Amino acid sequence: MTSTTELGTSGSSAILSQDIEEIASLFTVTPTDSPTPDDERVAKLDSPKFGTVFSDHMARISWRRDDGWIHRRVEKYGPLQLDPATAVLHYGQEVFEGMKAYRHADGTVWTFRPEENAARLSRSAHRLALPALPVDDFIAACAVLVRTDIAWVPDAPDSSLYLRPFMFASEPFLGVRPADEVEFLVIASPSGAYFSGGVKPVSIWVDAEYHRAGPGGTGAAKCGGNYAASLLPQSEAATKGFDQVCFLDGGSNTYLEELGGMNVFLVMADGSVHTPELTGSILEGVTRSSILRLAADHGRDVVERRIPLTELVDGLRNGQVSEVFACGTAAVVTPVGRLAGETFDATVGTGEPGDLTMTIRRELTDIQYGRAADRHGWMRRLA
Ligand SMILES: *Cc1c(COP(=O)(O)O)cnc(C)c1O
């Protein structure tokens, strides 16, 4: 892995690896002709609604089948002009990522395990017949954008600059085949604390009617289409009064998979920590893998396996399951207070956030915000 931090390396101004800094230097930065005035930006950074405010610039790399990745640049944030025949609008050939840039107390800006997001983007791209983007290009694009829009990285508690890298088929062509023209972009959206009034447990509807993914499908890819498939189940669950949906496996409708955009964990009364194993239809979360590590650090047994819904329901009733939480980059760790489906309705523990849930949440955010030692070498300094 080339992207080791070089903090403290005397004589080097590089804060990412030399390889990434070299790629970063290939980006042409064209500053916007209409930067957001300082007072307006400060107002926008004050508790923005998630995904509604964007920084002044975006990073962009184009791909042509004959040329590979070309034209690395950072330019003014703004609308894309697309031909109505653009392939992504018809066949959904698109993948994306979600990461955060965190401002530490000393003003430096860091991100969390970006190599994992970069590698996952290329795995997702492979499934969607899109080109792989080198890890160094991915991290360099994020770094150059964050450096250009450094003033957009908020410093309020639990706030961050959310980064949304994405890649789509930009070729205007209605034939059904992988596109020969692709765009990769990174946009940045300042985001406030996910739980503004303190961490609050969510309620989950376990859906036995719809699936977000099936065997051999695109469940393990982070693609827009999976989200499109989860919107109707999500809104039907909301109508029933639930915050989120948990999907079961599409093959047998028996085992827990995940939420529309978060992985799920159980903490058992014996202290062990369980999460559905990656069967090919579950998205491999970076938060999930980090939590498996942190739980193991606590000396907990961590188990990745198939978890039948019936076992969860029985466990909630007889006390063998003591905590349930969901996890992902945006919300980090979200306690689950209630789970229900067609045939059951159960409170998790007392309905309040569990102890391990909150401990893991704190440990992870302490590492991300630089309040605790980065003992696993997960943080990369961007600026
Ligand atoms: C992004 C995502 C997650 C969480 O992944 P992180 O890397 O932890 O943010 C979980 N499930 C789905 C379906 C996702 O798209």
Side-chain angles (χ1 to χ4, degrees):
M1 187 56 58
T2 52
S3 47
T4 49
T5 44
E6 293 182 4
L7 269 179
T9 306
S10 59
S12 168
S13 63
I15 51 183
L16 292 164
S17 74
Q18 203 52 51
D19 290 351
I20 297 176
E21 293 297 349
E22 265 165 36
I23 300 278
S25 69
L26 300 178
F27 279 73
T28 306
V29 179
T30 309
T32 173
D33 51 13
S34 52
T36 306
D38 285 347
D39 54 342
E40 207 177 298
R41 187 190 64 250
V42 168
K44 284 183 161 184
L45 288 181
D46 184 36
S47 57
K49 190 171 169 326
F50 181 79
T52 60
V53 173
F54 296 93
S55 69
D56 278 337
H57 297 88
M58 58 191 188
R60 188 163 184 180
I61 316 179
S62 303
W63 182 85
R64 301 289 175 267
R65 190 167 296 280
D66 293 336
D67 306 322
W69 292 104
I70 52 172
H71 201 184
R72 292 166 181 80
R73 66 235 194 239
V74 167
E75 58 194 28
K76 177 180 178 168
Y77 180 94
L80 304 175
Q81 198 173 30
L82 297 180
D83 188 290
T86 300
V88 67
L89 301 177
H90 302 273
Y91 309 124
Q93 206 190 351
E94 185 265 358
V95 296
F96 68 95
E97 273 303 323
M99 301 151 68
K100 287 174 171 174
Y102 308 89
R103 195 181 285 281
H104 287 186
D106 64 359
T108 56
V109 176
W110 299 69
T111 193
F112 182 74
R113 308 185 74 183
E115 309 82 12
E116 301 296 323
N117 297 87
R120 186 172 67 191
L121 184 80
S122 283
R123 292 198 301 275
S124 300
H126 177 72
R127 181 63 184 84
L128 275 285
L130 286 160
L133 178 75
V135 170
D136 289 357
D137 269 302
F138 179 97
I139 298 176
C142 294
V144 179
L145 177 60
V146 167
R147 290 168 189 176
T148 307
D149 281 340
I150 185 86
W152 289 86
V153 184
D155 57 11
D158 290 327
S159 67
S160 60
L161 185 63
Y162 182 81
L163 302 176
R164 168 52 59 85
F166 62 105
M167 187 196 294
F168 66 94
S170 56
E171 183 184 1
F173 176 64
L174 292 184
V176 180
R177 59 145 171 79
D180 289 339
E181 297 173 18
V182 169
E183 292 291 305
F184 168 76
L185 288 95
V186 187
I187 56 175
S189 178
S191 75
Y194 192 89
F195 296 98
S196 38
V199 176
K200 197 173 119 294
V202 298
S203 58
I204 287 189
W205 176 257
V206 183
D207 208 313
E209 183 185 356
Y210 298 110
H211 298 103
R212 65 174 281 283
T218 57
K222 204 170 178 74
C223 63
N226 291 342
Y227 279 71
S230 72
L231 296 176
L232 179 66
Q234 173 68 38
S235 58
E236 291 188 5
T239 303
K240 296 186 186 88
F242 291 85
D243 299 312
Q244 293 277 338
V245 172
C246 181
F247 293 97
L248 299 175
D249 75 290
S252 69
N253 214 26
T254 302
Y255 303 101
L256 299 180
E257 291 220 312
E258 60 169 320
L259 279 51
M262 283 190 272
N263 295 116
V264 64
F265 276 84
L266 314 184
V267 183
M268 313 304 266
D270 69 5
S272 59
V273 175
H274 298 226
T275 192
E277 69 178 352
L278 303 172
T279 53
S281 48
I282 294 176
L283 196 286
E284 183 174 2
V286 178
T287 318
R288 174 187 181 277
S289 92
S290 308
I291 288 171
L292 287 170
R293 193 61 197 264
L294 293 178
D297 291 350
H298 276 274
R300 302 283 181 138
D301 273 336
V302 294
V303 187
E304 295 176 73
R305 64 178 175 94
R306 292 185 158 224
I307 302 173
L309 172 62
T310 50
E311 184 196 314
L312 170 61
V313 174
D314 291 346
L316 290 172
R317 288 186 177 139
N318 65 26
Q320 276 179 21
V321 174
S322 47
E323 303 178 31
V324 178
F325 63 84
C327 67
T329 296
V332 195
V333 171
T334 304
V336 175
R338 176 186 171 205
L339 279 152
E342 290 299 348
T343 58
F344 69 99
D345 191 337
T347 302
V348 181
T350 60
E352 290 306 305
D355 288 342
L356 188 67
T357 301
M358 295 309 283
T359 300
I360 295 267
R361 179 186 168 80
R362 198 195 59 243
E363 287 182 355
L364 195 50
T365 52
D366 280 352
I367 292 171
Q368 291 168 334
Y369 286 93
R371 297 182 295 248
D374 176 23
R375 64 182 190 271
H376 294 298
W378 284 338
M379 302 304 292
R380 300 288 176 265
R381 187 174 158 197
L382 296 178

